[in-house]
Amino acid sequence: MRTEVRAFVVEQLADMNYDVDDIDDDTTLGSSGVDLESLALADLAVRVEDRYGVTFADDESEKLAMMTVGEFTAMVADRVAAATSDQS
């Protein structure tokens, strides 16, 4: 699941016109990495929510900006797994 989520995240960043050539799991989403500003973070979060059915609280945006691509991917994959197990 993490591989699929990571590929989706990178694809969405490319679609949002960010340079994804040097992105790896240690690249932060915020200013010292991909450099997503708050609106771009919100856009990425909405795209992930729409694709995977997970939700992010309004107060998570600062936390998301500090995360690496790997941490964000793991968090989304964990939330998808939790949602899937809750439906069982």
Side-chain angles (χ1 to χ4, degrees), residues 5-17 20 47:
V5 172
R6 185 185 186 288
F8 179 79
V9 167
V10 172
E11 179 183 298
Q12 295 313 302
L13 291 171
D15 186 59
M16 295 163 61
N17 296 319
V20 297
R47 291 172 185 227

Side-chain angles (χ1 to χ4, degrees), residues 9-65:
V9 167
V10 172
E11 179 183 298
Q12 295 313 302
L13 291 171
D15 186 59
M16 295 163 61
N17 296 319
Y18 285 92
D19 181 11
V20 297
D21 291 338
D22 295 326
I23 289 180
D24 61 26
D25 283 346
D26 295 325
T27 305
T28 59
L29 294 173
S31 61
S32 60
V34 180
D35 200 20
L36 296 181
E37 295 179 4
S38 59
L39 286 176
L41 271 169
D43 186 12
L44 178 62
V46 167
R47 291 172 185 227
V48 170
E49 288 175 347
D50 289 347
R51 171 67 176 89
Y52 293 102
V54 298
T55 57
F56 299 99
D58 292 339
D59 62 351
E60 283 187 293
S61 59
E62 267 187 52
K63 178 181 173 185
L64 296 179

Side-chain angles (χ1 to χ4, degrees), residues 81-88:
T84 303
S85 68
D86 287 347
Q87 292 176 358
S88 300

Side-chain angles (χ1 to χ4, degrees), residues 64-86:
L64 296 179
M66 307 279 283
M67 291 182 136
T68 65
V69 171
E71 291 167 339
F72 180 71
T73 299
M75 181 183 71
V76 171
D78 290 346
R79 288 185 183 188
V80 170
T84 303
S85 68
D86 287 347

